[in-house]
Amino acid sequence: MRLFFALDIPGPLALDIATWREQQLPLLGRPVPAANFHITLAFLGEIPDSRLDALCQDVDAAAEKLAPAAFELQLDQVGYWPRPGIYWLGPASWPDSLEHLARKLGGIGAIHGHEKRREHFQAHVTLFRGCEAAPPAPALAPDFRLSCSEFLLMESRQGKRGVSYHPVAGWELGTGFNPA
Ligand code: ATP
Ligand code: MG
């Protein structure tokens, strides 16, 4: 199964972001459906089903020690990465503890899978893919508040109508772990 760790963007906030995107940005490349908005903490890639329990146990153990207290992110910045052609929305800053968590989850993923770990963490919600040129700045700067109280292990499935994500397990922040 194709897995990644992520922060979820709740439905109402995702709709607000999609509305802002529609009003403030031209149609660039392929817009990501609002239902797919998320912030990736660590991408694991293909993991055999048989490794799932061990993976979750490792996260349980790490989350007890490492999961940061619940926190808020202010999504107030946009960015463009030319090489993957990604246009994104994200926070200008985030707690160090979130970065530590992302790194730890990437390390656990690397034990159970084979994906190379990413060194640089940039919290972001992908808004468009396949975006060939740098988009114009939005007239109305984004300023969305995201309350984060859990992180999720998500399965990514490729379907006829594109990719969809499905939560496999979740851990509460601040209070140790809580398997979904
Ligand atoms: P698609 O690949 O169909 O365009 P997607 O990229 O959203 O859709 P996945 O490739 O399954 O779906 O990726 C799931 C999440 O992991 C996304 O946030 C994606 O950006 C991220 N991701 C995918 N591949 C990598 C990678 N090699 N390194 C870091 N993050 C990745
Ligand atoms: Mg992809």
Coordinates of all heavy atoms in Angstrom, one line a residue, residues 60-105:
D60 N 3.4 4.5 17.6 CA 2.9 4.6 19.0 C 4.0 4.9 19.9 O 3.8 5.8 20.8 CB 2.3 3.2 19.4 CG 1.0 2.9 18.7 OD1 0.4 3.8 18.0 OD2 0.6 1.7 18.8
A61 N 5.1 4.2 19.9 CA 6.2 4.4 20.8 C 6.8 5.8 20.7 O 7.1 6.5 21.6 CB 7.2 3.3 20.6
A62 N 7.0 6.2 19.4 CA 7.6 7.5 19.2 C 6.6 8.6 19.6 O 7.0 9.7 20.2 CB 7.9 7.7 17.7
A63 N 5.3 8.4 19.3 CA 4.3 9.5 19.6 C 4.2 9.8 21.1 O 4.0 11.0 21.5 CB 3.0 9.1 19.0
E64 N 4.4 8.8 21.9 CA 4.4 9.0 23.4 C 5.4 10.0 23.8 O 5.2 10.9 24.6 CB 4.5 7.7 24.1 CG 3.3 6.9 24.3 CD 3.5 5.7 25.1 OE1 4.1 4.7 24.5 OE2 3.0 5.7 26.2
K65 N 6.6 9.9 23.2 CA 7.7 10.8 23.6 C 7.7 12.1 22.8 O 8.1 13.1 23.3 CB 9.0 10.0 23.3 CG 9.4 9.1 24.4 CD 10.7 8.4 24.1 CE 10.6 7.3 23.1 NZ 11.7 6.6 22.7
L66 N 7.3 12.0 21.5 CA 7.6 13.0 20.6 C 6.4 13.9 20.1 O 6.6 15.0 19.7 CB 8.3 12.4 19.4 CG 9.0 13.2 18.4 CD1 10.4 13.4 18.8 CD2 8.9 12.6 17.0
A67 N 5.2 13.4 20.2 CA 4.1 14.1 19.6 C 4.0 15.5 20.3 O 3.9 15.6 21.5 CB 2.8 13.3 19.7
P68 N 4.0 16.6 19.5 CA 3.9 17.9 20.1 C 2.5 18.1 20.6 O 1.6 17.4 20.3 CB 4.2 18.8 18.9 CG 3.9 18.0 17.7 CD 4.2 16.6 18.0
A69 N 2.4 19.1 21.5 CA 1.1 19.5 21.9 C 0.3 20.0 20.7 O 0.9 20.4 19.7 CB 1.2 20.6 23.0
A70 N -1.0 20.0 20.8 CA -1.8 20.5 19.7 C -1.4 22.0 19.4 O -1.0 22.7 20.4 CB -3.3 20.5 20.1
F71 N -1.5 22.4 18.2 CA -1.0 23.7 17.8 C -1.8 24.3 16.7 O -2.6 23.6 16.1 CB 0.5 23.6 17.4 CG 0.8 22.7 16.3 CD1 0.8 23.2 15.0 CD2 1.0 21.4 16.5 CE1 1.0 22.3 13.9 CE2 1.2 20.5 15.4 CZ 1.2 21.0 14.2
E72 N -1.6 25.5 16.4 CA -2.3 26.1 15.2 C -1.3 26.6 14.2 O -0.2 27.0 14.5 CB -3.1 27.3 15.7 CG -4.2 26.9 16.5 CD -5.2 28.0 16.8 OE1 -4.8 29.2 16.7 OE2 -6.4 27.7 17.1
L73 N -1.6 26.5 12.9 CA -0.8 27.0 11.8 C -1.6 28.1 11.2 O -2.8 28.0 11.0 CB -0.5 25.9 10.8 CG 0.4 24.7 11.3 CD1 0.5 23.7 10.2 CD2 1.8 25.2 11.7
Q74 N -0.9 29.1 10.8 CA -1.5 30.2 10.1 C -1.1 30.0 8.6 O 0.1 30.2 8.3 CB -1.0 31.6 10.6 CG -2.0 32.7 10.4 CD -3.3 32.5 11.2 OE1 -3.3 31.9 12.3 NE2 -4.4 33.0 10.7
L75 N -2.0 29.7 7.8 CA -1.7 29.4 6.3 C -1.8 30.8 5.6 O -2.8 31.3 5.2 CB -2.7 28.4 5.7 CG -2.8 27.1 6.5 CD1 -3.8 26.2 5.8 CD2 -1.5 26.4 6.6
D76 N -0.6 31.4 5.5 CA -0.6 32.8 5.1 C 0.5 33.1 4.0 O 0.9 34.2 3.8 CB -0.3 33.7 6.3 CG 0.9 33.3 7.1 OD1 1.6 32.4 6.6 OD2 1.2 33.9 8.2
Q77 N 0.9 32.0 3.4 CA 2.0 32.2 2.4 C 1.7 31.3 1.2 O 1.2 30.2 1.4 CB 3.3 31.7 3.1 CG 4.5 31.9 2.3 CD 5.8 31.5 3.1 OE1 6.6 32.3 3.4 NE2 5.9 30.2 3.4
V78 N 2.1 31.8 0.0 CA 2.0 30.9 -1.1 C 3.4 30.7 -1.7 O 4.3 31.5 -1.5 CB 1.0 31.5 -2.2 CG1 -0.4 31.4 -1.8 CG2 1.4 32.9 -2.6
G79 N 3.6 29.7 -2.4 CA 4.9 29.4 -3.0 C 4.8 28.6 -4.3 O 3.7 27.9 -4.5
Y80 N 5.8 28.6 -5.1 CA 5.8 27.9 -6.4 C 7.1 27.2 -6.5 O 8.2 27.7 -6.3 CB 5.7 28.9 -7.5 CG 5.8 28.3 -8.9 CD1 5.0 27.3 -9.3 CD2 6.8 28.8 -9.7 CE1 5.2 26.7 -10.6 CE2 7.0 28.2 -11.0 CZ 6.2 27.2 -11.4 OH 6.3 26.7 -12.7
W81 N 7.1 25.8 -6.7 CA 8.3 25.0 -7.0 C 8.2 24.7 -8.5 O 7.4 23.8 -8.9 CB 8.2 23.8 -6.1 CG 8.4 24.1 -4.7 CD1 9.1 25.1 -4.1 CD2 7.9 23.3 -3.6 NE1 9.1 25.0 -2.7 CE2 8.3 23.9 -2.4 CE3 7.1 22.2 -3.5 CZ2 7.9 23.5 -1.1 CZ3 6.7 21.7 -2.2 CH2 7.2 22.4 -1.0
P82 N 9.1 25.3 -9.2 CA 9.1 25.1 -10.7 C 9.3 23.6 -11.1 O 8.7 23.2 -12.0 CB 10.2 26.0 -11.2 CG 10.8 26.7 -10.1 CD 10.2 26.2 -8.8
R83 N 10.2 22.9 -10.4 CA 10.6 21.6 -11.0 C 9.4 20.6 -10.9 O 9.0 20.0 -11.9 CB 11.9 21.1 -10.4 CG 12.8 20.8 -11.5 CD 14.0 20.0 -11.3 NE 14.4 19.9 -10.0 CZ 15.2 19.0 -9.6 NH1 15.7 18.1 -10.4 NH2 15.6 18.9 -8.3
P84 N 8.8 20.5 -9.7 CA 7.6 19.6 -9.7 C 6.4 20.4 -10.3 O 5.4 19.8 -10.6 CB 7.4 19.2 -8.3 CG 8.1 20.2 -7.5 CD 9.2 20.8 -8.3
G85 N 6.5 21.7 -10.5 CA 5.4 22.5 -11.0 C 4.2 22.6 -10.0 O 3.0 22.5 -10.3
I86 N 4.6 22.8 -8.7 CA 3.6 22.8 -7.6 C 3.4 24.2 -7.1 O 4.4 24.9 -6.9 CB 4.1 21.9 -6.5 CG1 3.7 20.4 -6.9 CG2 3.4 22.2 -5.2 CD1 4.2 19.4 -5.9
Y87 N 2.2 24.6 -7.0 CA 1.8 25.9 -6.4 C 1.2 25.6 -5.1 O 0.2 24.8 -5.0 CB 0.9 26.7 -7.3 CG 0.7 28.1 -6.8 CD1 1.7 29.1 -6.8 CD2 -0.6 28.4 -6.3 CE1 1.4 30.3 -6.4 CE2 -0.8 29.7 -5.9 CZ 0.2 30.7 -5.9 OH -0.1 31.9 -5.4
W88 N 1.6 26.2 -4.0 CA 1.1 25.7 -2.7 C 0.8 26.9 -1.8 O 1.2 28.0 -2.0 CB 2.1 24.8 -2.0 CG 3.6 25.4 -1.9 CD1 4.6 25.1 -2.8 CD2 4.1 26.2 -0.9 NE1 5.7 25.7 -2.4 CE2 5.5 26.4 -1.2 CE3 3.6 26.8 0.2 CZ2 6.3 27.2 -0.4 CZ3 4.4 27.7 1.0 CH2 5.8 27.8 0.7
L89 N 0.0 26.5 -0.7 CA -0.3 27.4 0.4 C 0.2 26.8 1.6 O 0.1 25.6 1.8 CB -1.9 27.5 0.5 CG -2.5 28.0 1.7 CD1 -2.3 29.6 1.8 CD2 -4.0 27.7 1.8
G90 N 0.8 27.7 2.5 CA 1.4 27.1 3.7 C 1.6 28.2 4.7 O 1.4 29.4 4.5
P91 N 2.1 27.8 5.9 CA 2.4 28.7 7.0 C 3.8 29.3 6.8 O 4.7 28.6 6.3 CB 2.4 27.9 8.2 CG 2.7 26.5 7.8 CD 2.3 26.4 6.3
A92 N 4.0 30.6 7.1 CA 5.3 31.2 7.1 C 6.2 30.5 8.1 O 7.4 30.5 8.0 CB 5.2 32.7 7.2
S93 N 5.6 30.1 9.2 CA 6.4 29.4 10.2 C 5.6 28.3 10.9 O 4.4 28.3 10.8 CB 6.9 30.4 11.3 OG 5.8 31.0 12.0
W94 N 6.3 27.4 11.6 CA 5.6 26.3 12.3 C 6.5 25.9 13.5 O 7.7 26.3 13.5 CB 5.4 25.1 11.3 CG 6.6 24.7 10.6 CD1 7.6 23.9 11.0 CD2 7.0 25.2 9.3 NE1 8.6 23.8 10.1 CE2 8.3 24.6 9.0 CE3 6.5 26.0 8.3 CZ2 9.0 24.8 7.8 CZ3 7.2 26.2 7.1 CH2 8.4 25.6 6.9
P95 N 5.9 25.2 14.4 CA 6.7 24.9 15.6 C 7.8 23.9 15.3 O 7.7 23.1 14.4 CB 5.7 24.2 16.6 CG 4.4 24.3 15.9 CD 4.5 24.8 14.5
D96 N 9.0 24.1 15.9 CA 10.1 23.1 15.7 C 9.6 21.7 16.0 O 10.1 20.7 15.3 CB 11.2 23.4 16.7 CG 12.0 24.6 16.3 OD1 11.8 25.1 15.1 OD2 12.8 25.2 17.1
S97 N 8.7 21.6 16.9 CA 8.3 20.2 17.3 C 7.6 19.5 16.1 O 7.6 18.3 16.0 CB 7.3 20.3 18.5 OG 6.3 21.2 18.2
L98 N 6.9 20.3 15.2 CA 6.3 19.7 14.1 C 7.4 19.1 13.1 O 7.2 18.1 12.5 CB 5.4 20.7 13.3 CG 4.7 20.2 12.1 CD1 3.8 19.1 12.4 CD2 4.0 21.3 11.4
E99 N 8.4 19.9 13.0 CA 9.5 19.5 12.1 C 10.2 18.2 12.6 O 10.5 17.3 11.9 CB 10.5 20.6 12.0 CG 11.4 20.5 10.8 CD 11.9 21.8 10.3 OE1 11.2 22.8 10.5 OE2 12.9 21.8 9.6
H100 N 10.4 18.2 13.9 CA 10.9 17.0 14.6 C 10.1 15.8 14.3 O 10.5 14.7 14.0 CB 11.1 17.2 16.1 CG 12.2 18.2 16.4 ND1 12.2 19.0 17.5 CD2 13.3 18.6 15.7 CE1 13.2 19.8 17.5 NE2 13.9 19.6 16.4
L101 N 8.7 16.0 14.5 CA 7.8 14.9 14.3 C 7.9 14.4 12.8 O 8.0 13.2 12.6 CB 6.4 15.4 14.6 CG 5.3 14.4 14.3 CD1 5.4 13.2 15.2 CD2 3.9 15.0 14.4
A102 N 7.9 15.3 11.9 CA 8.0 15.0 10.5 C 9.3 14.2 10.2 O 9.2 13.1 9.5 CB 8.0 16.2 9.6
R103 N 10.4 14.6 10.8 CA 11.6 13.9 10.6 C 11.6 12.5 11.2 O 12.0 11.5 10.6 CB 12.8 14.7 11.1 CG 14.1 14.3 10.5 CD 15.2 15.3 10.9 NE 14.9 16.7 10.8 CZ 15.1 17.6 11.7 NH1 15.6 17.3 12.9 NH2 14.8 18.9 11.5
K104 N 11.0 12.4 12.4 CA 10.9 11.1 13.0 C 10.0 10.2 12.2 O 10.4 9.0 12.1 CB 10.3 11.3 14.4 CG 10.2 10.1 15.3 CD 11.6 9.6 15.7 CE 11.5 8.3 16.5 NZ 12.8 7.8 16.8
L105 N 8.9 10.7 11.8 CA 8.0 9.8 11.0 C 8.7 9.4 9.7 O 8.5 8.2 9.3 CB 6.7 10.6 10.7 CG 5.8 10.9 11.9 CD1 4.6 11.7 11.5 CD2 5.4 9.6 12.6

